Amino acid sequence: MPDTSTPASLFFYALAFSFVGVGVKSVMEKKRYWVGLALGLSAIIFYIIGYYWTRLRDFLGPRLTGSVENITADFRFWLALIVLILVYVMVSSVVQTIRDNLMESIIKQDIPALNAAIKAYLLPRSLTPSQRTEIGRYLSRFPTHQLTIRVINDNEAGAFRADLQNAIEQGGWTIKTIENVSEAREGLTIQFDQTQASIQTRDDPRNPKEDAILQQALTQAGVPLDGTGGGSSSTMTENSLFLVIGRRRRDTIVERRY
């Protein structure tokens, strides 16, 4: 049986176990199976060299074997080897920690932002059944009114208009007319044109004006408004309420309620 307790044999054993450790780490943490296999085969080779070192000396020659045995017999060599292994472990741990932190940052910040951007460009606006019911229920609590819907010439805006019209009509309100327009402010807005007498009338919380009722109905249902406005003229004889549907905004995300 060969002598396996020489410094050179112990050195090759140390190399073998070190390669096994690095190979296992590569497979477990980084899924580098080919690297793990290569390191495993190298570990087997080093182990065999260490086990048969006393017999290999005759084949390798006295000069090479003498140099290896002199180096491996020096405690400073072993100290350097231990320090090298510790440095590798420390550097590897630091690098892995940096990668984990970077991945965590990507998961928490970049991926949600990317998903939000994709939704803003791909998901059409729509009302859920519960939103339509909620809008209709709120409008039905007040006297009925009529309004005009202005909608941009756009398929997505047209589908959203159908949802809004259905919800408003559930509340007993009347859609006076639907106007297709070529230009409109982005998003959903309310325009309320009033007579001079209406403008001078104080707002009554118990009997709010129709634009305030519609605005509150949409807000309560979780449908965001992108603005309100209106005007007045001495020639106007009646108030006119408009719900204006422009193209969907690309800079905001509306969470759907179910």
Side-chain angles (χ1 to χ4, degrees), residues 108-251:
K108 288 184 177 180
Q109 300 177 16
D110 297 344
I111 292 180
L114 179 60
N115 287 337
I118 292 174
K119 289 180 181 180
Y121 277 87
L122 298 182
L123 286 184
R125 291 169 293 180
S126 64
L127 298 181
T128 64
S130 63
Q131 286 178 309
R132 290 196 294 269
T133 300
E134 193 167 348
I135 291 172
R137 183 184 297 117
Y138 188 86
L139 294 179
S140 65
R141 293 165 48 188
F142 300 90
T144 59
H145 295 280
Q146 62 180 9
L147 71 151
T148 295
I149 296 180
R150 288 176 176 168
V151 57
I152 194 76
N153 288 319
D154 178 83
N155 290 335
E156 186 273 342
F160 189 37
R161 185 271 310 161
D163 277 1
L164 289 167
Q165 180 178 352
N166 179 270
I168 292 169
E169 289 177 340
Q170 282 186 34
W173 286 32
T174 302
I175 304 301
K176 185 177 181 181
T177 184
I178 297 174
E179 300 177 357
N180 293 309
V181 296
S182 58
E183 293 184 6
R185 178 177 173 178
E186 279 190 343
L188 182 65
T189 58
I190 291 176
Q191 179 180 335
F192 187 43
D193 295 335
Q194 305 178 67
T195 64
Q196 292 290 326
S198 175
I199 284 183
Q200 295 171 5
T201 302
R202 280 188 172 186
D203 292 333
D204 184 358
R206 293 172 298 179
N207 186 27
K209 295 180 181 179
E210 48 264 51
D211 65 321
I213 298 172
L214 181 59
Q215 181 177 348
Q216 184 59 33
L218 295 172
T219 301
Q220 190 164 297
V223 181
L225 277 172
D226 297 288
T228 58
S232 178
S233 171
S234 59
T235 60
M236 292 181 60
T237 58
E238 62 177 3
N239 294 339
S240 297
L241 178 63
F242 299 91
L243 184 62
V244 185
I245 307 171
R247 289 186 173 84
R248 57 183 167 172
R249 294 182 59 179
R250 304 292 189 174
D251 57 343

Side-chain angles (χ1 to χ4, degrees), residues 15-43 88 92:
L15 282 180
F17 286 111
S18 297
F19 274 48
V20 169
V22 175
V24 170
K25 184 178 178 65
S26 297
V27 172
M28 296 296 292
E29 294 182 356
K30 304 177 183 178
K31 308 300 181 184
R32 296 179 179 177
Y33 298 104
W34 286 108
V35 174
L37 178 61
L39 291 172
L41 292 175
S42 300
Y88 169 78
S92 179

Side-chain angles (χ1 to χ4, degrees), residues 66-88:
S67 298
V68 173
E69 289 176 347
N70 289 334
I71 293 174
T72 54
D74 190 341
F75 82 95
R76 291 173 297 180
F77 170 80
W78 288 99
L79 181 61
L81 181 62
I82 293 172
V83 170
L84 183 63
I85 293 174
L86 291 176
V87 169
Y88 169 78

